Amino acid sequence: MATERNIIAGMKVWVEDSELAWVDGEVINVGNGHAAILTSKGSKLSIPFSKIHPRDVDTQPGGVDDMTKLSYLNEPSVLYNLASRYELNDIYTYTGNILIAVNPFTKLPHLYDVHMMEQYREAPFGQLNPHVFAVADASYRAMINEQLSQSILVSGESGAGKTETTKLIMQYLAYMGGRSVTDNRSVEQQVLESNPVLEAFGNAKTVRNDNSSRFGKFVEIQFDKNGKISGAAIRTYLLERSRVVQISDPERNYHCFYQLCASPEDVDIYKLGDPRVFHYLNQSNTYELDGVSNAEEYSKTRRAMDVVGINLEEQEAIFRILAAILHLGNIEFSPGREHDSSTLKDQTSAFHLQNAAELFMCDAKQLQDTLCTRIIMTREGNITKSLDPSSATINRDALAKTVYSRLFDWLVDKINKSVGQDSDSRTLIGVLDIYGFESFKNNSFEQFCINLANEKLQQHFNQHVFKMEQEEYSKEEINWSYIEFIDNQDVLDLIERKPVGIISLLDEACMFPRSTHETFATKLFQSFKNHSRFKKPKLSLTDFTISHYAGEVTYQANLFLEKNRDYSIVEHHSLLSSSKCPFVAGLFPPSLEDTSKSSYKFSSVATRFKQQLQALMETLSLTEPHYIRCVKPNSGNRPGNFENLSVLHQLRCGGVLEAVRISCAGYPTRRTYDEFLDRFGLLAPKFVGTQNNEKAATEELLQRLNLSNYQLGKTKVFLRAGQMAEMDARRAEALNNAAKVIQRQFRTFIARKEFNRKRRAALKIQCYWRGWLARKLYKVMRREAASVIIQKYIRRWLSQKVYIHLRFAVNTIQAGIRAYFVRREYQLKRQTLAALKIQKNWRMWKARSYFLHLRVATISFQCAWRCRLARKELHRLKLAERETGALREAKNKLEKRCEELTWRLQLEKRLRADAEESKSLEIRKLQNALEEMQLESDAAKALALKEKEANLVLRNKLEVATNQSSALEESYVKIQDLTRENQSLKISVESLEKKVADTHRELVISQNETDERLRKVKEVESNIAQLQETVHRLEEKLSNLESENQVLRQQALVVSPTNGLTNHATPMILQTPEAQQVSQGSQHSMFDSSIDSQIIKVRSNSLSDTKLQSRFSIERQQENQRALVKCVIQDVGFSNDKPVAACIIYKCLLQWHAFEAEITPVFDHIIQTIGLIIEEKDDNDALSYWLSNTSTLIFLLQRNLKPSGVSTTPQRRYPGSVTLIGRMTQGFKSPSNHGSSGTGGTFGAHEGIQQVEAKYPAILFKQQVTTYLEKIYGILRENVKKDIGPLLSLCIQAPRMSRASMSKGSRSPNMIGATQQVLSSHWHSIIKILNSLLSKLRANHVPPLLVCKLFTQVFSFINVQLFNSLLLRRECCSFSNGEYIKSGLAELEQWICEASEQYAGTSWDELRYIRQAVGFLVIHQKAKKTLDEIMQDICPVLTVQQLYRISTMYWDDKYGTQSVSREVFASMKMMMTRSSQNASANTFLLDDDTSIPFSVDELTKGMSDVDLSDVETPPLLRDISAFHFLQENT
């Protein structure tokens, strides 16, 4: 607030305005306690001094990131600072450590990507631009360092972005402390996935927001001792239950009801329909939301329920309950027959009652009785009391609110179980998302409760702000004991104090049935008529006004009593706990409360609200708070629109202006000493310039200006309100006087400049004239000299043409003669090779024909022998079959004889029937016995044992019959004969069985003999295969010897060219003993036993010799490998600029033929050695040494190795063993031969390279060496970045120190040189590091390609760090900072030029982003530049987002110039809007390149040839005989 003392003519001020809240103006005249002001709108006003606020003309165009830095901490400065930052898309602003977030109503993905989170990770609070990540990081670091739980309180009105801010906080916390155990989803994801469910059941449309949270949510992110997220929990507070049964136009009920009505598949199931037919929904005319489909939202809610673990049965039960609540609301009551009774109004109400009962799965009659009656319990018994229609309606609404509240609590518990809580967690970070202060045209009970919660939170906020002020004052060691603390405890006492608070009076009124809102209002007026915070409006009898911290709010008490009454009815609990639906019954578990007096229990909503609020405050008191105030810039939710009046109201409601008032009660203006002296040192330049102590200079300056009541801290000066304006008035006067002097001097300068310009123009004209004459003469002389030169070159061209023609003819003749001789020689060689091939094929055909003939004969013999055996077996089987046929014929004869005997017996019986009637029974028995005998005889065909038993039975029966009748004796004799015949048949069958067994044994023996013969044949075939393999190996050895012989003959031809043409046609065939054996073997039989024995004997001898040689070779190999590893471990240095270690490794591997071995351990030893050396030595010198060695080794391997199977020529095998042991043995025996034939071409010039066919171990070895090369390169690069990184941050921060130093230097000229030396020391340190690195790389002969790539990536890192720091820190984006960085870049450019392009490469181009950004900072008259000029000429590489960021953050601390024009800003915004859909185009930060920028092929092509012949052998290997080949090749 201004006073007459600090208001002068020409001063810039703020005055109140009805449309813009505050408008800027200029003081024209001052007098009589008023000031005449000309506003920017063109109006002239006379304003009292008490309503004027001074305006800081030196403030930055884009505002300040921390409003405590404002020179004038007042309401208009805060408002317009937010407006200016919002215009530039800077939506976050600090007020101390309080973050103000303005909703942009558009997507800004570049502010919330992973790269941005990495920038704010562990960054000191306030160092980077304000951001929600900074608050989250501060809370996380405080929790880790202090082991104290933290809380982040996010507040604001509906639509301000509280929920989105909460999501961002949880996103950052999940980034910082990922789960300590593996999980498919992070805690942050699980909590966010539950949002659709909570929004559907807890959010509703209000006057100001379409998706307003009607409950408070406190999300607890729990951490373990390692700082990892271990669990989470969601605590809900203060659900607005009355909204279920009562809403006002144009608001809506909770979203879930409208979503359910829009579900096409559930409407018929739950008998729903248009929401307009339901009483709980049609109280408002708003049923749809703009741009929102209720059906789609219903599907999203269903999917979210699946995600959080709610199964289909539970989902069906939930929506059944919602439908039941809707039907419950349509039940209407009318007066009954008895007094004060009620009944259903009509059939529609009965229909809805029936539907509600079915959905609740309870009895409809019991539900009706519960709604229409009340049970009163007395000593004598229960008394049922009828309810009138109004009481029944209240009873119905109470049931609906209770069911919905229980359902919401169940959902929250289910979500918490799904997320998972950690009971062992000791620290947490809580994020509170709660509705903000509300003040509408009509304010009811809901606004009263919400504002009570905000009053409580505001008290907590005020205590925190005052605590921060105390900490600031204590830190600076100033006296603050007399500063008064602004508190709102009187408002809280007015509302919740017992027994005379508003809530207590409201509960008292609700206890009396006959109380009305008029009696309640009268009671309030009587109790608080003298209270300063309570007022009674003049035009209303029931309204009352409370002066909250955010302003006065008038409440309508009409519905206070109804909304505060919340009955706990036992009948409701009993009814629903007995439901057949387990889910509904689970919502109402058995209660242990005493219900002996009444089934109705009064429950105060306001009291319960206060208790929950108190529990929330107790939870917050146990944590360290952090505050985020969300602001809604306009009521239309439009991007880029900032409504001053609306924002100002929210700042008051959010307590931001209350925090400003607390700051103003103390010392609102605080400046560091250097900033204060920079601003006001001009008031006494000579006096201040003599002081080297800034604090003493500040104190003397204030005393000289006659100021009092200020405080001097350790680093800052603290001024009371109004003192800054007084000093600015004096500063403005001094600047006006200085401006007059400057204008006078400037006019003189202009006149002198014009005179000098004309004089220079005259001299220039004369100069041009003389120059024209001289150029004319020079042109003539030049033409004459040119003609002479042309003649000379024409003569030379003619002579050269004749010479070339003659040389071409001579070359043609020579080429023809040489071609003739070469073709003749080639024809002879071709004939010789054809003859050899024909001989080879003929011998092969002859041997193969003999073998095929012998194999056919063997097979024929085997087939004949097997046929003979088969015929014998067939004969035996036929004989056996014949014997079996004879038995079968005998058996048939016996059967026939039995039949005849039976017939005869029957005839005798008939003849004697008359004579032997007494014996008829015995005769019948005999007939039955005969029939049984016949059956037993038939059974004897299969088993001889059963026939014998049957005969015994017949024999016994016949003996009985003989005793009875002598007539049957004859038949008995016959039966005995048959028995004897059966015995003879049995004997014959047994003999046949013995013969069959003998035949089977003979068959088994013959089969065994056949198997033995087959085994012998297979052994013979294996011997044949071994012989063939031996022959094949001998043939290969012969071909190798022939090829070596051919090489020797060619060398002989080179030595004696005169004899080459006569001897080349004579083939040389080496006759070895093995070859002779092969030739002789083709003439003898393959099955000659003498040859087999000789071969076996030779093979056994060779195997024993090979074992001895292998054992000896293994020992020699291990010794040689140890010697090689010992040599490699030492720093053997370089020989003729080539790394000795790499060359020795390659030559040894090549000499030992390790590249062609299938299995070898030497590669593993070398790789392990290199790995151990790198792990032990991580300094840049050692890394450079091994970078040179590995790159050279890769070059040699890439150039001289080829994968197996690449070449089309026949694969040449060595005559000895294919293993490394055998090859090393041969190398030890004849090192000179291998050295001359195997390695001579490799160690020589590049034209003589003979590539080696590499096996898999060699290819794997090359890949491992490549990996180590990339690893060494990466470690070296990271070491350089680690050394340069801190210096780069000092380079960015240096201009801030330089301004203080330069300000002192301006007062003390002797310090300028020292200051400049300090400023340039950081850049010199960087150059020193680069020089050291370059010298080490060159000393170790690292290939220039790798050096170039390394420095290119280092300069890219410098570019990224400087550029990102420039975009993230506003203080770095200044004119003087640009000049400082430009001077440092000039030094880097000089270093690049000195390093040459061979080593620096395109390093200068890697700095293009920071070069163009700095170039933009230091150009003058930015406002006159168009967007095309900036994007095409000044900053062609920078994107629109980057240019916009720099333009908005730029401030000229040296000349006070402005940034680009508003037209350019508008064009940039339009271009960014077009590209906003592309996520990659929205980011403005650069990413550091950590890839490997080269490939093996690129490295091979970029390196020069390595000649191994001039590499000296290390002293450690010179005395070892196995390594003499290294010296022979040198």
Side-chain angles (χ1 to χ4, degrees), residues 388-409:
D388 57 10
S390 60
S391 299
T393 303
I394 295 175
N395 194 9
R396 176 202 65 189
D397 294 341
L399 175 61
K401 291 188 290 184
T402 301
V403 171
Y404 192 84
S405 177
R406 296 284 184 96
L407 176 61
F408 186 80
D409 293 339

Short mmCIF file of all heavy atoms in Angstrom, two decimals, residues 388-409:
data_model
loop_
_atom_site.label_atom_id
_atom_site.label_comp_id
_atom_site.label_asym_id
_atom_site.label_seq_id
_atom_site.Cartn_x
_atom_site.Cartn_y
_atom_site.Cartn_z
N ASP A 388 -46.19 -40.75 9.02
CA ASP A 388 -46.94 -39.99 8.03
C ASP A 388 -46.14 -39.96 6.73
O ASP A 388 -44.96 -40.34 6.68
CB ASP A 388 -47.22 -38.58 8.55
CG ASP A 388 -45.95 -37.85 8.92
OD1 ASP A 388 -44.86 -38.36 8.60
OD2 ASP A 388 -46.03 -36.77 9.53
N PRO A 389 -46.71 -39.50 5.61
CA PRO A 389 -46.00 -39.53 4.32
C PRO A 389 -44.66 -38.80 4.35
O PRO A 389 -43.68 -39.28 3.75
CB PRO A 389 -47.00 -38.87 3.36
CG PRO A 389 -48.33 -39.17 3.96
CD PRO A 389 -48.12 -39.11 5.45
N SER A 390 -44.56 -37.65 4.98
CA SER A 390 -43.30 -36.92 5.01
C SER A 390 -42.23 -37.70 5.79
O SER A 390 -41.06 -37.79 5.38
CB SER A 390 -43.49 -35.55 5.63
OG SER A 390 -43.97 -35.68 6.96
N SER A 391 -42.62 -38.28 6.92
CA SER A 391 -41.66 -39.09 7.70
C SER A 391 -41.25 -40.34 6.93
O SER A 391 -40.09 -40.76 6.98
CB SER A 391 -42.27 -39.47 9.04
OG SER A 391 -42.59 -38.32 9.80
N ALA A 392 -42.21 -40.94 6.23
CA ALA A 392 -41.86 -42.12 5.41
C ALA A 392 -40.88 -41.75 4.30
O ALA A 392 -39.97 -42.52 3.97
CB ALA A 392 -43.13 -42.73 4.83
N THR A 393 -41.08 -40.56 3.71
CA THR A 393 -40.14 -40.11 2.67
C THR A 393 -38.75 -39.91 3.25
O THR A 393 -37.73 -40.30 2.64
CB THR A 393 -40.65 -38.81 2.04
OG1 THR A 393 -41.97 -39.01 1.52
CG2 THR A 393 -39.71 -38.34 0.94
N ILE A 394 -38.67 -39.31 4.43
CA ILE A 394 -37.37 -39.13 5.09
C ILE A 394 -36.75 -40.50 5.39
O ILE A 394 -35.53 -40.70 5.25
CB ILE A 394 -37.54 -38.30 6.37
CG1 ILE A 394 -38.00 -36.88 6.02
CG2 ILE A 394 -36.25 -38.28 7.16
CD1 ILE A 394 -38.31 -36.02 7.23
N ASN A 395 -37.59 -41.43 5.82
CA ASN A 395 -37.12 -42.78 6.11
C ASN A 395 -36.57 -43.45 4.84
O ASN A 395 -35.53 -44.11 4.85
CB ASN A 395 -38.27 -43.60 6.68
CG ASN A 395 -37.78 -44.88 7.31
OD1 ASN A 395 -36.59 -45.10 7.47
ND2 ASN A 395 -38.72 -45.75 7.67
N ARG A 396 -37.29 -43.25 3.72
CA ARG A 396 -36.82 -43.81 2.44
C ARG A 396 -35.47 -43.21 2.04
O ARG A 396 -34.54 -43.92 1.63
CB ARG A 396 -37.87 -43.50 1.37
CG ARG A 396 -37.48 -43.93 -0.04
CD ARG A 396 -38.28 -43.15 -1.06
NE ARG A 396 -37.94 -41.73 -1.03
CZ ARG A 396 -38.60 -40.78 -1.70
NH1 ARG A 396 -39.68 -41.10 -2.41
NH2 ARG A 396 -38.21 -39.52 -1.64
N ASP A 397 -35.33 -41.89 2.13
CA ASP A 397 -34.08 -41.24 1.76
C ASP A 397 -32.93 -41.67 2.68
O ASP A 397 -31.78 -41.81 2.23
CB ASP A 397 -34.24 -39.72 1.80
CG ASP A 397 -35.22 -39.22 0.74
OD1 ASP A 397 -35.48 -39.98 -0.22
OD2 ASP A 397 -35.71 -38.09 0.87
N ALA A 398 -33.23 -41.86 3.94
CA ALA A 398 -32.19 -42.32 4.86
C ALA A 398 -31.68 -43.69 4.45
O ALA A 398 -30.47 -43.98 4.52
CB ALA A 398 -32.74 -42.34 6.28
N LEU A 399 -32.61 -44.58 4.03
CA LEU A 399 -32.19 -45.89 3.57
C LEU A 399 -31.31 -45.78 2.33
O LEU A 399 -30.26 -46.45 2.23
CB LEU A 399 -33.42 -46.75 3.28
CG LEU A 399 -33.15 -48.14 2.67
CD1 LEU A 399 -32.30 -48.98 3.62
CD2 LEU A 399 -34.47 -48.86 2.35
N ALA A 400 -31.68 -44.93 1.39
CA ALA A 400 -30.89 -44.77 0.16
C ALA A 400 -29.49 -44.25 0.48
O ALA A 400 -28.48 -44.74 -0.07
CB ALA A 400 -31.62 -43.84 -0.81
N LYS A 401 -29.37 -43.23 1.34
CA LYS A 401 -28.07 -42.68 1.67
C LYS A 401 -27.21 -43.70 2.41
O LYS A 401 -25.99 -43.79 2.17
CB LYS A 401 -28.25 -41.42 2.53
CG LYS A 401 -28.84 -40.24 1.76
CD LYS A 401 -28.83 -38.97 2.58
CE LYS A 401 -29.82 -39.03 3.74
NZ LYS A 401 -29.87 -37.75 4.48
N THR A 402 -27.84 -44.46 3.30
CA THR A 402 -27.06 -45.45 4.05
C THR A 402 -26.52 -46.54 3.14
O THR A 402 -25.34 -46.91 3.23
CB THR A 402 -27.95 -46.08 5.14
OG1 THR A 402 -28.43 -45.04 6.01
CG2 THR A 402 -27.17 -47.10 5.95
N VAL A 403 -27.36 -47.03 2.24
CA VAL A 403 -26.91 -48.09 1.33
C VAL A 403 -25.79 -47.58 0.43
O VAL A 403 -24.76 -48.25 0.23
CB VAL A 403 -28.10 -48.61 0.49
CG1 VAL A 403 -27.62 -49.55 -0.60
CG2 VAL A 403 -29.12 -49.30 1.38
N TYR A 404 -25.95 -46.37 -0.11
CA TYR A 404 -24.91 -45.84 -1.02
C TYR A 404 -23.60 -45.60 -0.27
O TYR A 404 -22.51 -45.86 -0.79
CB TYR A 404 -25.40 -44.55 -1.67
CG TYR A 404 -24.53 -44.11 -2.82
CD1 TYR A 404 -24.72 -44.64 -4.10
CD2 TYR A 404 -23.52 -43.18 -2.64
CE1 TYR A 404 -23.92 -44.25 -5.16
CE2 TYR A 404 -22.71 -42.78 -3.70
CZ TYR A 404 -22.92 -43.32 -4.95
OH TYR A 404 -22.12 -42.93 -6.00
N SER A 405 -23.70 -45.08 0.94
CA SER A 405 -22.49 -44.84 1.73
C SER A 405 -21.76 -46.14 2.03
O SER A 405 -20.53 -46.23 1.92
CB SER A 405 -22.85 -44.12 3.03
OG SER A 405 -21.71 -43.93 3.83
N ARG A 406 -22.52 -47.17 2.42
CA ARG A 406 -21.89 -48.47 2.68
C ARG A 406 -21.25 -49.03 1.41
O ARG A 406 -20.16 -49.62 1.45
CB ARG A 406 -22.93 -49.45 3.21
CG ARG A 406 -23.55 -49.07 4.56
CD ARG A 406 -22.61 -49.36 5.72
NE ARG A 406 -23.23 -49.09 7.02
CZ ARG A 406 -23.82 -50.00 7.77
NH1 ARG A 406 -23.89 -51.25 7.35
NH2 ARG A 406 -24.35 -49.67 8.94
N LEU A 407 -21.93 -48.86 0.27
CA LEU A 407 -21.39 -49.36 -0.99
C LEU A 407 -20.09 -48.63 -1.35
O LEU A 407 -19.11 -49.26 -1.79
CB LEU A 407 -22.43 -49.16 -2.11
CG LEU A 407 -21.97 -49.55 -3.52
CD1 LEU A 407 -21.62 -51.03 -3.59
CD2 LEU A 407 -23.06 -49.22 -4.54
N PHE A 408 -20.03 -47.35 -1.16
CA PHE A 408 -18.82 -46.57 -1.47
C PHE A 408 -17.67 -47.00 -0.56
O PHE A 408 -16.53 -47.17 -1.03
CB PHE A 408 -19.10 -45.08 -1.31
CG PHE A 408 -17.96 -44.20 -1.75
CD1 PHE A 408 -17.76 -43.92 -3.10
CD2 PHE A 408 -17.10 -43.65 -0.83
CE1 PHE A 408 -16.72 -43.12 -3.50
CE2 PHE A 408 -16.05 -42.85 -1.22
CZ PHE A 408 -15.87 -42.57 -2.57
N ASP A 409 -17.96 -47.21 0.72
CA ASP A 409 -16.91 -47.66 1.64
C ASP A 409 -16.40 -49.05 1.23
O ASP A 409 -15.19 -49.33 1.34
CB ASP A 409 -17.44 -47.71 3.07
CG ASP A 409 -17.75 -46.31 3.60
OD1 ASP A 409 -17.21 -45.33 3.05
OD2 ASP A 409 -18.56 -46.20 4.56
#
